[in-house]
Short mmCIF file of all heavy atoms in Angstrom, two decimals:
data_model
loop_
_atom_site.label_atom_id
_atom_site.label_comp_id
_atom_site.label_asym_id
_atom_site.label_seq_id
_atom_site.Cartn_x
_atom_site.Cartn_y
_atom_site.Cartn_z
N MET B 1 4.20 6.08 -4.37
CA MET B 1 5.52 5.63 -4.76
C MET B 1 5.69 4.20 -4.25
O MET B 1 5.36 3.91 -3.11
CB MET B 1 6.58 6.55 -4.15
CG MET B 1 7.99 6.11 -4.47
SD MET B 1 9.25 7.20 -3.82
CE MET B 1 9.26 8.44 -5.07
N TRP B 2 6.16 3.35 -5.11
CA TRP B 2 6.39 1.95 -4.75
C TRP B 2 7.90 1.75 -4.71
O TRP B 2 8.56 1.77 -5.73
CB TRP B 2 5.74 1.04 -5.78
CG TRP B 2 5.81 -0.42 -5.49
CD1 TRP B 2 6.03 -1.01 -4.28
CD2 TRP B 2 5.66 -1.49 -6.43
NE1 TRP B 2 6.00 -2.37 -4.40
CE2 TRP B 2 5.79 -2.69 -5.72
CE3 TRP B 2 5.43 -1.54 -7.79
CZ2 TRP B 2 5.69 -3.93 -6.32
CZ3 TRP B 2 5.33 -2.78 -8.38
CH2 TRP B 2 5.45 -3.95 -7.66
N PHE B 3 8.44 1.58 -3.51
CA PHE B 3 9.88 1.39 -3.34
C PHE B 3 10.27 -0.01 -3.77
O PHE B 3 9.76 -0.99 -3.24
CB PHE B 3 10.29 1.60 -1.87
CG PHE B 3 10.21 3.02 -1.42
CD1 PHE B 3 9.10 3.49 -0.75
CD2 PHE B 3 11.27 3.88 -1.66
CE1 PHE B 3 9.03 4.80 -0.32
CE2 PHE B 3 11.21 5.20 -1.24
CZ PHE B 3 10.09 5.66 -0.57
N GLN B 4 11.16 -0.11 -4.75
CA GLN B 4 11.66 -1.40 -5.21
C GLN B 4 13.16 -1.51 -5.03
O GLN B 4 13.71 -2.59 -5.08
CB GLN B 4 11.30 -1.62 -6.68
CG GLN B 4 9.81 -1.76 -6.89
CD GLN B 4 9.48 -1.97 -8.34
OE1 GLN B 4 9.86 -1.17 -9.20
NE2 GLN B 4 8.78 -3.04 -8.64
N ARG B 5 13.82 -0.36 -4.83
CA ARG B 5 15.28 -0.32 -4.63
C ARG B 5 15.59 0.74 -3.60
O ARG B 5 14.80 1.64 -3.36
CB ARG B 5 15.99 0.04 -5.93
CG ARG B 5 15.88 -1.02 -6.98
CD ARG B 5 16.71 -0.63 -8.21
NE ARG B 5 16.65 -1.67 -9.21
CZ ARG B 5 15.71 -1.79 -10.13
NH1 ARG B 5 14.74 -0.91 -10.19
NH2 ARG B 5 15.74 -2.76 -10.99
N GLY B 6 16.78 0.65 -3.03
CA GLY B 6 17.23 1.67 -2.08
C GLY B 6 17.13 1.20 -0.65
O GLY B 6 16.73 0.07 -0.37
N PRO B 7 17.50 2.09 0.26
CA PRO B 7 17.51 1.72 1.68
C PRO B 7 16.11 1.42 2.22
O PRO B 7 15.17 2.18 1.99
CB PRO B 7 18.08 2.96 2.38
CG PRO B 7 18.62 3.84 1.31
CD PRO B 7 17.96 3.45 0.03
N VAL B 8 15.99 0.33 2.90
CA VAL B 8 14.70 -0.05 3.49
C VAL B 8 14.28 0.97 4.55
O VAL B 8 13.10 1.24 4.73
CB VAL B 8 14.77 -1.49 4.03
CG1 VAL B 8 14.86 -1.57 5.52
CG2 VAL B 8 13.61 -2.30 3.58
N ALA B 9 15.24 1.58 5.22
CA ALA B 9 14.93 2.58 6.25
C ALA B 9 14.16 3.76 5.66
O ALA B 9 13.25 4.30 6.31
CB ALA B 9 16.21 3.07 6.92
N THR B 10 14.47 4.16 4.45
CA THR B 10 13.76 5.26 3.80
C THR B 10 12.31 4.87 3.53
O THR B 10 11.39 5.65 3.76
CB THR B 10 14.45 5.66 2.48
OG1 THR B 10 15.80 6.04 2.76
CG2 THR B 10 13.74 6.80 1.79
N ALA B 11 12.09 3.66 3.04
CA ALA B 11 10.73 3.18 2.77
C ALA B 11 9.91 3.08 4.06
O ALA B 11 8.75 3.49 4.10
CB ALA B 11 10.78 1.83 2.07
N VAL B 12 10.52 2.58 5.11
CA VAL B 12 9.82 2.45 6.39
C VAL B 12 9.50 3.84 6.95
O VAL B 12 8.39 4.09 7.42
CB VAL B 12 10.65 1.63 7.40
CG1 VAL B 12 10.04 1.69 8.79
CG2 VAL B 12 10.76 0.19 6.94
N ARG B 13 10.46 4.74 6.86
CA ARG B 13 10.26 6.11 7.37
C ARG B 13 9.11 6.80 6.63
O ARG B 13 8.27 7.46 7.24
CB ARG B 13 11.55 6.91 7.21
CG ARG B 13 11.48 8.35 7.62
CD ARG B 13 11.20 8.49 9.12
NE ARG B 13 11.11 9.88 9.49
CZ ARG B 13 10.02 10.64 9.33
NH1 ARG B 13 8.93 10.13 8.81
NH2 ARG B 13 10.04 11.90 9.70
N ALA B 14 9.03 6.62 5.32
CA ALA B 14 7.93 7.20 4.55
C ALA B 14 6.60 6.55 4.93
O ALA B 14 5.58 7.21 5.03
CB ALA B 14 8.19 7.04 3.05
N SER B 15 6.63 5.25 5.19
CA SER B 15 5.42 4.51 5.49
C SER B 15 4.81 4.87 6.85
O SER B 15 3.61 4.75 7.03
CB SER B 15 5.71 3.01 5.46
OG SER B 15 4.53 2.28 5.72
N VAL B 16 5.63 5.34 7.79
CA VAL B 16 5.10 5.69 9.12
C VAL B 16 4.76 7.16 9.24
O VAL B 16 4.28 7.60 10.28
CB VAL B 16 6.06 5.27 10.25
CG1 VAL B 16 6.30 3.78 10.24
CG2 VAL B 16 7.36 6.04 10.20
N ALA B 17 5.00 7.94 8.19
CA ALA B 17 4.76 9.39 8.24
C ALA B 17 3.27 9.71 8.15
O ALA B 17 2.63 9.43 7.15
CB ALA B 17 5.52 10.08 7.12
N ILE B 18 2.74 10.27 9.22
CA ILE B 18 1.35 10.69 9.27
C ILE B 18 1.35 12.15 9.71
O ILE B 18 1.79 12.45 10.82
CB ILE B 18 0.53 9.82 10.24
CG1 ILE B 18 0.55 8.36 9.78
CG2 ILE B 18 -0.91 10.34 10.36
CD1 ILE B 18 -0.09 7.40 10.73
N PRO B 19 0.91 13.06 8.85
CA PRO B 19 0.94 14.48 9.18
C PRO B 19 0.37 14.77 10.57
O PRO B 19 -0.63 14.19 10.97
CB PRO B 19 0.09 15.13 8.09
CG PRO B 19 0.23 14.19 6.94
CD PRO B 19 0.30 12.82 7.55
N SER B 20 1.03 15.64 11.29
CA SER B 20 0.75 16.09 12.67
C SER B 20 1.08 15.04 13.72
O SER B 20 1.02 15.32 14.91
CB SER B 20 -0.68 16.62 12.83
OG SER B 20 -1.64 15.59 12.78
N LEU B 21 1.46 13.84 13.33
CA LEU B 21 1.95 12.83 14.27
C LEU B 21 3.41 12.51 14.02
O LEU B 21 4.22 12.56 14.93
CB LEU B 21 1.12 11.54 14.18
CG LEU B 21 -0.33 11.63 14.61
CD1 LEU B 21 -1.03 10.29 14.40
CD2 LEU B 21 -0.43 12.05 16.06
N VAL B 22 3.74 12.15 12.79
CA VAL B 22 5.11 11.86 12.38
C VAL B 22 5.37 12.67 11.11
O VAL B 22 4.64 12.55 10.13
CB VAL B 22 5.32 10.35 12.10
CG1 VAL B 22 6.74 10.08 11.64
CG2 VAL B 22 4.99 9.52 13.33
N THR B 23 6.41 13.50 11.13
CA THR B 23 6.71 14.40 10.02
C THR B 23 6.92 13.64 8.71
O THR B 23 7.66 12.66 8.69
CB THR B 23 7.99 15.21 10.33
OG1 THR B 23 7.81 15.85 11.58
CG2 THR B 23 8.28 16.23 9.26
N PRO B 24 6.26 14.07 7.63
CA PRO B 24 6.50 13.46 6.32
C PRO B 24 7.96 13.60 5.91
O PRO B 24 8.69 14.43 6.43
CB PRO B 24 5.59 14.26 5.39
CG PRO B 24 4.52 14.79 6.28
CD PRO B 24 5.21 15.08 7.58
N ILE B 25 8.39 12.79 4.96
CA ILE B 25 9.77 12.77 4.50
C ILE B 25 9.81 13.17 3.02
O ILE B 25 8.87 12.87 2.28
CB ILE B 25 10.39 11.36 4.71
CG1 ILE B 25 11.86 11.34 4.37
CG2 ILE B 25 9.64 10.31 3.96
CD1 ILE B 25 12.56 10.02 4.73
N VAL B 26 10.88 13.84 2.61
CA VAL B 26 11.06 14.21 1.21
C VAL B 26 12.04 13.23 0.57
O VAL B 26 13.15 13.03 1.07
CB VAL B 26 11.59 15.65 1.07
CG1 VAL B 26 11.86 15.98 -0.40
CG2 VAL B 26 10.60 16.64 1.66
N VAL B 27 11.61 12.58 -0.52
CA VAL B 27 12.46 11.64 -1.26
C VAL B 27 12.38 12.04 -2.74
O VAL B 27 11.29 12.10 -3.31
CB VAL B 27 11.97 10.18 -1.08
CG1 VAL B 27 12.80 9.23 -1.92
CG2 VAL B 27 12.00 9.77 0.38
N ASP B 28 13.53 12.31 -3.33
CA ASP B 28 13.59 12.72 -4.74
C ASP B 28 12.65 13.89 -5.04
O ASP B 28 11.97 13.92 -6.06
CB ASP B 28 13.29 11.55 -5.67
CG ASP B 28 14.33 10.45 -5.57
OD1 ASP B 28 15.50 10.76 -5.26
OD2 ASP B 28 13.97 9.28 -5.80
N GLY B 29 12.57 14.85 -4.11
CA GLY B 29 11.75 16.03 -4.32
C GLY B 29 10.26 15.81 -4.08
O GLY B 29 9.46 16.72 -4.30
N ARG B 30 9.87 14.63 -3.63
CA ARG B 30 8.45 14.33 -3.38
C ARG B 30 8.23 14.20 -1.88
O ARG B 30 8.99 13.53 -1.19
CB ARG B 30 8.04 13.04 -4.07
CG ARG B 30 8.16 13.13 -5.58
CD ARG B 30 7.92 11.80 -6.24
NE ARG B 30 6.51 11.44 -6.17
CZ ARG B 30 6.01 10.31 -6.63
NH1 ARG B 30 6.81 9.43 -7.20
NH2 ARG B 30 4.74 10.05 -6.54
N LEU B 31 7.17 14.82 -1.38
CA LEU B 31 6.80 14.73 0.02
C LEU B 31 5.97 13.46 0.21
O LEU B 31 4.91 13.31 -0.40
CB LEU B 31 5.98 15.96 0.43
CG LEU B 31 5.63 16.09 1.90
CD1 LEU B 31 6.89 16.27 2.73
CD2 LEU B 31 4.68 17.25 2.10
N LEU B 32 6.47 12.54 1.04
CA LEU B 32 5.81 11.24 1.19
C LEU B 32 5.22 11.06 2.58
O LEU B 32 5.82 11.46 3.58
CB LEU B 32 6.81 10.11 0.92
CG LEU B 32 7.49 10.12 -0.44
CD1 LEU B 32 8.46 8.96 -0.54
CD2 LEU B 32 6.46 10.06 -1.55
N VAL B 33 4.04 10.46 2.62
CA VAL B 33 3.36 10.10 3.87
C VAL B 33 2.88 8.66 3.74
O VAL B 33 2.97 8.05 2.67
CB VAL B 33 2.17 11.03 4.18
CG1 VAL B 33 2.63 12.45 4.38
CG2 VAL B 33 1.10 10.95 3.13
N ASP B 34 2.33 8.12 4.81
CA ASP B 34 1.82 6.76 4.80
C ASP B 34 0.77 6.60 3.70
O ASP B 34 -0.19 7.37 3.62
CB ASP B 34 1.20 6.44 6.15
CG ASP B 34 0.63 5.03 6.25
OD1 ASP B 34 0.94 4.19 5.38
OD2 ASP B 34 -0.11 4.76 7.20
N GLY B 35 0.95 5.61 2.85
CA GLY B 35 0.04 5.38 1.73
C GLY B 35 -1.37 5.03 2.16
O GLY B 35 -2.32 5.21 1.41
N GLY B 36 -1.53 4.53 3.37
CA GLY B 36 -2.85 4.18 3.87
C GLY B 36 -3.78 5.37 4.02
O GLY B 36 -4.99 5.21 4.13
N LEU B 37 -3.23 6.57 4.01
CA LEU B 37 -4.08 7.76 4.10
C LEU B 37 -4.94 7.91 2.86
O LEU B 37 -6.05 8.40 2.92
CB LEU B 37 -3.22 9.01 4.31
CG LEU B 37 -2.46 9.07 5.63
CD1 LEU B 37 -1.55 10.28 5.66
CD2 LEU B 37 -3.43 9.10 6.80
N MET B 38 -4.40 7.51 1.71
CA MET B 38 -5.14 7.66 0.46
C MET B 38 -5.63 6.32 -0.10
O MET B 38 -6.63 6.27 -0.79
CB MET B 38 -4.26 8.32 -0.60
CG MET B 38 -3.85 9.74 -0.26
SD MET B 38 -5.25 10.84 -0.09
CE MET B 38 -5.80 10.94 -1.77
N ASN B 39 -4.91 5.25 0.18
CA ASN B 39 -5.25 3.94 -0.40
C ASN B 39 -4.90 2.86 0.62
O ASN B 39 -3.79 2.37 0.66
CB ASN B 39 -4.46 3.74 -1.71
CG ASN B 39 -4.92 2.52 -2.46
OD1 ASN B 39 -5.77 1.78 -2.00
ND2 ASN B 39 -4.33 2.30 -3.61
N PRO B 40 -5.88 2.45 1.45
CA PRO B 40 -5.59 1.50 2.53
C PRO B 40 -5.19 0.09 2.06
O PRO B 40 -4.54 -0.63 2.80
CB PRO B 40 -6.87 1.46 3.34
CG PRO B 40 -7.91 2.07 2.50
CD PRO B 40 -7.24 2.92 1.48
N VAL B 41 -5.57 -0.31 0.86
CA VAL B 41 -5.17 -1.62 0.33
C VAL B 41 -4.57 -1.39 -1.05
O VAL B 41 -5.25 -1.54 -2.07
CB VAL B 41 -6.36 -2.60 0.27
CG1 VAL B 41 -5.90 -3.98 -0.18
CG2 VAL B 41 -7.07 -2.71 1.61
N PRO B 42 -3.28 -1.03 -1.12
CA PRO B 42 -2.67 -0.67 -2.41
C PRO B 42 -2.31 -1.88 -3.26
O PRO B 42 -1.17 -2.31 -3.32
CB PRO B 42 -1.41 0.09 -1.98
CG PRO B 42 -1.05 -0.53 -0.67
CD PRO B 42 -2.36 -0.87 -0.02
N ILE B 43 -3.29 -2.46 -3.91
CA ILE B 43 -3.07 -3.68 -4.69
C ILE B 43 -2.66 -3.39 -6.13
O ILE B 43 -2.16 -4.25 -6.83
CB ILE B 43 -4.31 -4.59 -4.63
CG1 ILE B 43 -3.95 -5.99 -5.07
CG2 ILE B 43 -5.46 -4.01 -5.43
CD1 ILE B 43 -4.88 -7.05 -4.63
N GLU B 44 -2.85 -2.15 -6.60
CA GLU B 44 -2.56 -1.81 -7.99
C GLU B 44 -1.13 -2.15 -8.43
O GLU B 44 -0.95 -2.69 -9.52
CB GLU B 44 -2.85 -0.33 -8.26
CG GLU B 44 -4.32 0.01 -8.26
CD GLU B 44 -4.86 0.28 -6.85
OE1 GLU B 44 -4.06 0.31 -5.89
OE2 GLU B 44 -6.07 0.42 -6.72
N PRO B 45 -0.09 -1.86 -7.63
CA PRO B 45 1.27 -2.19 -8.09
C PRO B 45 1.48 -3.68 -8.34
O PRO B 45 2.27 -4.07 -9.19
CB PRO B 45 2.17 -1.71 -6.95
CG PRO B 45 1.39 -0.67 -6.26
CD PRO B 45 -0.05 -1.11 -6.38
N THR B 46 0.76 -4.54 -7.63
CA THR B 46 0.94 -5.98 -7.81
C THR B 46 0.25 -6.51 -9.06
O THR B 46 0.55 -7.60 -9.51
CB THR B 46 0.42 -6.76 -6.59
OG1 THR B 46 -0.99 -6.57 -6.48
CG2 THR B 46 1.10 -6.31 -5.31
N ALA B 47 -0.66 -5.75 -9.63
CA ALA B 47 -1.38 -6.20 -10.82
C ALA B 47 -0.46 -6.39 -12.02
O ALA B 47 -0.71 -7.21 -12.88
CB ALA B 47 -2.50 -5.23 -11.16
N ALA B 48 0.64 -5.64 -12.05
CA ALA B 48 1.58 -5.75 -13.17
C ALA B 48 2.58 -6.89 -12.98
O ALA B 48 3.32 -7.22 -13.91
CB ALA B 48 2.34 -4.43 -13.33
N VAL B 49 2.59 -7.51 -11.81
CA VAL B 49 3.54 -8.58 -11.51
C VAL B 49 2.88 -9.92 -11.79
O VAL B 49 1.76 -10.19 -11.32
CB VAL B 49 3.99 -8.51 -10.03
CG1 VAL B 49 4.92 -9.65 -9.69
CG2 VAL B 49 4.65 -7.17 -9.75
N VAL B 50 3.54 -10.77 -12.55
CA VAL B 50 3.01 -12.09 -12.85
C VAL B 50 3.06 -12.95 -11.59
O VAL B 50 4.11 -13.09 -10.97
CB VAL B 50 3.81 -12.76 -13.99
CG1 VAL B 50 3.29 -14.16 -14.26
CG2 VAL B 50 3.75 -11.91 -15.24
N SER B 51 1.90 -13.47 -11.19
CA SER B 51 1.84 -14.34 -10.00
C SER B 51 0.64 -15.27 -10.13
O SER B 51 -0.29 -15.02 -10.89
CB SER B 51 1.73 -13.49 -8.74
OG SER B 51 0.51 -12.80 -8.73
N ASP B 52 0.68 -16.35 -9.37
CA ASP B 52 -0.42 -17.30 -9.36
C ASP B 52 -1.55 -16.83 -8.44
O ASP B 52 -2.72 -17.09 -8.68
CB ASP B 52 0.05 -18.68 -8.90
CG ASP B 52 0.97 -19.33 -9.91
OD1 ASP B 52 0.81 -19.07 -11.12
OD2 ASP B 52 1.85 -20.09 -9.49
N LEU B 53 -1.17 -16.12 -7.36
CA LEU B 53 -2.15 -15.71 -6.37
C LEU B 53 -1.71 -14.41 -5.71
O LEU B 53 -0.52 -14.25 -5.40
CB LEU B 53 -2.29 -16.81 -5.30
CG LEU B 53 -3.25 -16.56 -4.15
CD1 LEU B 53 -4.69 -16.58 -4.65
CD2 LEU B 53 -3.06 -17.63 -3.09
N THR B 54 -2.63 -13.52 -5.51
CA THR B 54 -2.36 -12.28 -4.78
C THR B 54 -3.29 -12.25 -3.59
O THR B 54 -4.50 -12.45 -3.74
CB THR B 54 -2.60 -11.04 -5.67
OG1 THR B 54 -1.71 -11.11 -6.78
CG2 THR B 54 -2.36 -9.76 -4.90
N VAL B 55 -2.75 -12.01 -2.41
CA VAL B 55 -3.55 -11.95 -1.19
C VAL B 55 -3.47 -10.52 -0.65
O VAL B 55 -2.37 -9.99 -0.48
CB VAL B 55 -3.03 -12.94 -0.13
CG1 VAL B 55 -3.84 -12.83 1.16
CG2 VAL B 55 -3.08 -14.36 -0.67
N ALA B 56 -4.61 -9.92 -0.37
CA ALA B 56 -4.65 -8.58 0.20
C ALA B 56 -5.42 -8.64 1.52
O ALA B 56 -6.43 -9.34 1.62
CB ALA B 56 -5.34 -7.61 -0.76
N VAL B 57 -4.94 -7.93 2.51
CA VAL B 57 -5.59 -7.92 3.82
C VAL B 57 -5.92 -6.48 4.19
O VAL B 57 -5.05 -5.62 4.19
CB VAL B 57 -4.66 -8.53 4.90
CG1 VAL B 57 -5.31 -8.46 6.27
CG2 VAL B 57 -4.30 -9.96 4.54
N SER B 58 -7.17 -6.23 4.50
CA SER B 58 -7.60 -4.92 4.97
C SER B 58 -7.96 -5.04 6.44
O SER B 58 -8.72 -5.92 6.83
CB SER B 58 -8.82 -4.43 4.18
OG SER B 58 -9.28 -3.22 4.74
N LEU B 59 -7.40 -4.16 7.26
CA LEU B 59 -7.67 -4.19 8.69
C LEU B 59 -8.76 -3.20 9.10
O LEU B 59 -9.00 -2.99 10.28
CB LEU B 59 -6.38 -3.90 9.47
CG LEU B 59 -5.25 -4.87 9.20
CD1 LEU B 59 -4.01 -4.47 9.98
CD2 LEU B 59 -5.64 -6.30 9.53
N GLN B 60 -9.44 -2.63 8.12
CA GLN B 60 -10.52 -1.70 8.40
C GLN B 60 -11.81 -2.46 8.65
O GLN B 60 -12.06 -3.48 8.01
CB GLN B 60 -10.72 -0.73 7.25
CG GLN B 60 -9.57 0.22 7.08
CD GLN B 60 -9.85 1.22 5.98
OE1 GLN B 60 -10.69 1.01 5.12
NE2 GLN B 60 -9.14 2.33 6.02
N ALA B 61 -12.63 -1.95 9.54
CA ALA B 61 -13.92 -2.58 9.82
C ALA B 61 -14.93 -2.20 8.75
O ALA B 61 -14.88 -1.11 8.19
CB ALA B 61 -14.42 -2.14 11.19
N GLY B 62 -15.83 -3.11 8.44
CA GLY B 62 -16.88 -2.82 7.47
C GLY B 62 -16.38 -2.81 6.05
O GLY B 62 -15.29 -3.22 5.75
N HIS B 63 -17.22 -2.31 5.16
CA HIS B 63 -16.86 -2.24 3.75
C HIS B 63 -16.03 -0.99 3.49
O HIS B 63 -16.36 0.09 3.96
CB HIS B 63 -18.11 -2.22 2.89
CG HIS B 63 -18.79 -3.54 2.82
ND1 HIS B 63 -19.44 -4.10 3.89
CD2 HIS B 63 -18.89 -4.43 1.81
CE1 HIS B 63 -19.92 -5.26 3.54
NE2 HIS B 63 -19.61 -5.49 2.28
N SER B 64 -14.97 -1.17 2.72
CA SER B 64 -14.11 -0.04 2.37
C SER B 64 -13.72 -0.15 0.91
O SER B 64 -13.13 -1.14 0.50
CB SER B 64 -12.86 -0.07 3.25
OG SER B 64 -11.94 0.90 2.83
N ARG B 65 -14.05 0.86 0.11
CA ARG B 65 -13.68 0.91 -1.30
C ARG B 65 -14.06 -0.35 -2.06
O ARG B 65 -13.31 -0.85 -2.87
CB ARG B 65 -12.19 1.18 -1.45
CG ARG B 65 -11.78 2.53 -0.90
CD ARG B 65 -10.33 2.78 -1.16
NE ARG B 65 -9.90 3.95 -0.44
CZ ARG B 65 -9.44 5.04 -1.00
NH1 ARG B 65 -9.32 5.12 -2.28
NH2 ARG B 65 -9.07 6.06 -0.28
N GLY B 66 -15.19 -0.92 -1.72
CA GLY B 66 -15.67 -2.08 -2.46
C GLY B 66 -15.14 -3.41 -1.98
O GLY B 66 -15.53 -4.45 -2.47
N TRP B 67 -14.25 -3.41 -0.99
CA TRP B 67 -13.70 -4.68 -0.47
C TRP B 67 -14.65 -5.24 0.58
O TRP B 67 -15.20 -4.51 1.39
CB TRP B 67 -12.33 -4.46 0.15
CG TRP B 67 -11.29 -4.15 -0.86
CD1 TRP B 67 -11.00 -2.93 -1.38
CD2 TRP B 67 -10.43 -5.08 -1.51
NE1 TRP B 67 -10.00 -3.03 -2.31
CE2 TRP B 67 -9.63 -4.34 -2.40
CE3 TRP B 67 -10.25 -6.45 -1.42
CZ2 TRP B 67 -8.67 -4.93 -3.20
CZ3 TRP B 67 -9.29 -7.03 -2.21
CH2 TRP B 67 -8.53 -6.28 -3.09
N PRO B 68 -14.84 -6.56 0.59
CA PRO B 68 -15.71 -7.16 1.60
C PRO B 68 -15.08 -7.09 2.98
O PRO B 68 -13.87 -6.96 3.11
CB PRO B 68 -15.84 -8.62 1.14
CG PRO B 68 -14.68 -8.85 0.25
CD PRO B 68 -14.31 -7.53 -0.34
N SER B 69 -15.89 -7.15 4.03
CA SER B 69 -15.38 -7.05 5.39
C SER B 69 -14.82 -8.37 5.90
O SER B 69 -14.15 -8.42 6.91
CB SER B 69 -16.48 -6.56 6.33
OG SER B 69 -17.58 -7.44 6.30
N ARG B 70 -15.09 -9.46 5.22
CA ARG B 70 -14.54 -10.75 5.65
C ARG B 70 -13.30 -11.10 4.81
O ARG B 70 -13.15 -10.62 3.69
CB ARG B 70 -15.58 -11.85 5.53
CG ARG B 70 -16.14 -12.03 4.15
CD ARG B 70 -17.23 -13.11 4.15
NE ARG B 70 -18.09 -13.06 3.02
CZ ARG B 70 -17.76 -13.23 1.75
NH1 ARG B 70 -16.52 -13.46 1.43
NH2 ARG B 70 -18.63 -13.19 0.80
N PRO B 71 -12.38 -11.92 5.37
CA PRO B 71 -11.17 -12.28 4.62
C PRO B 71 -11.50 -12.99 3.32
O PRO B 71 -12.48 -13.73 3.23
CB PRO B 71 -10.43 -13.22 5.57
CG PRO B 71 -11.03 -12.98 6.91
CD PRO B 71 -12.44 -12.52 6.68
N CYS B 72 -10.70 -12.76 2.30
CA CYS B 72 -10.90 -13.44 1.04
C CYS B 72 -9.58 -13.50 0.28
O CYS B 72 -8.67 -12.73 0.53
CB CYS B 72 -11.96 -12.75 0.19
SG CYS B 72 -11.49 -11.12 -0.37
N ALA B 73 -9.48 -14.44 -0.63
CA ALA B 73 -8.33 -14.52 -1.55
C ALA B 73 -8.90 -14.40 -2.95
O ALA B 73 -9.97 -14.91 -3.25
CB ALA B 73 -7.62 -15.85 -1.37
N ARG B 74 -8.18 -13.70 -3.81
CA ARG B 74 -8.69 -13.47 -5.15
C ARG B 74 -7.57 -13.63 -6.16
O ARG B 74 -6.48 -13.12 -5.96
CB ARG B 74 -9.24 -12.05 -5.21
CG ARG B 74 -9.92 -11.69 -6.45
CD ARG B 74 -10.54 -10.33 -6.26
NE ARG B 74 -10.30 -9.58 -7.46
CZ ARG B 74 -10.45 -8.31 -7.59
NH1 ARG B 74 -10.80 -7.60 -6.57
NH2 ARG B 74 -10.20 -7.71 -8.71
N ARG B 75 -7.81 -14.36 -7.21
CA ARG B 75 -6.80 -14.53 -8.25
C ARG B 75 -6.74 -13.28 -9.12
O ARG B 75 -7.78 -12.77 -9.53
CB ARG B 75 -7.10 -15.74 -9.13
CG ARG B 75 -6.86 -17.03 -8.43
CD ARG B 75 -6.85 -18.17 -9.44
NE ARG B 75 -6.60 -19.40 -8.75
CZ ARG B 75 -5.41 -19.90 -8.51
NH1 ARG B 75 -4.34 -19.24 -8.91
NH2 ARG B 75 -5.23 -21.02 -7.87
N VAL B 76 -5.54 -12.81 -9.38
CA VAL B 76 -5.34 -11.67 -10.27
C VAL B 76 -4.60 -12.15 -11.49
O VAL B 76 -3.56 -12.77 -11.37
CB VAL B 76 -4.53 -10.56 -9.55
CG1 VAL B 76 -4.26 -9.42 -10.50
CG2 VAL B 76 -5.27 -10.08 -8.32
N ARG B 77 -5.12 -11.92 -12.67
CA ARG B 77 -4.48 -12.38 -13.89
C ARG B 77 -3.99 -11.20 -14.70
O ARG B 77 -4.49 -10.18 -14.77
CB ARG B 77 -5.43 -13.21 -14.72
CG ARG B 77 -5.79 -14.47 -13.97
CD ARG B 77 -6.51 -15.42 -14.90
NE ARG B 77 -6.94 -16.55 -14.11
CZ ARG B 77 -6.34 -17.72 -14.16
NH1 ARG B 77 -5.32 -17.91 -14.93
NH2 ARG B 77 -6.78 -18.70 -13.43
#
């Protein structure tokens, strides 16, 4: 879920929810947890937004899901 409207506190609360550490939250009937559990660099939502440059940062060590381990900037059209 990509929060674009509503209380920022709800988005933050969903983002910090990690099962067995921080209880997940229910929003609109959906059980939400930290998106990093399934997708550590969620760049897909930004692909639909017109921009000159998109910067993504992964804090994971080594290669993850095809991303290089060194910093990089990539143009998305």
Side-chain angles (χ1 to χ4, degrees):
M1 177 178 278
W2 184 21
F3 289 96
Q4 293 180 305
R5 292 184 178 86
V8 105
T10 301
V12 170
R13 177 64 181 81
S15 181
V16 300
I18 299 174
S20 71
L21 294 177
V22 179
T23 306
I25 185 173
V26 176
V27 177
D28 296 331
R30 297 173 72 182
L31 186 65
L32 302 179
V33 298
D34 180 14
L37 295 174
M38 296 299 291
N39 189 357
V41 184
I43 197 160
E44 290 84 7
T46 64
V49 177
V50 178
S51 66
D52 292 330
L53 179 69
T54 299
V55 178
V57 177
S58 175
L59 301 178
Q60 293 184 339
H63 287 70
S64 173
R65 296 184 190 242
W67 290 85
S69 58
R70 58 183 161 63
C72 66
R74 186 173 137 194
R75 288 193 179 272
V76 177
R77 296 192 185 255

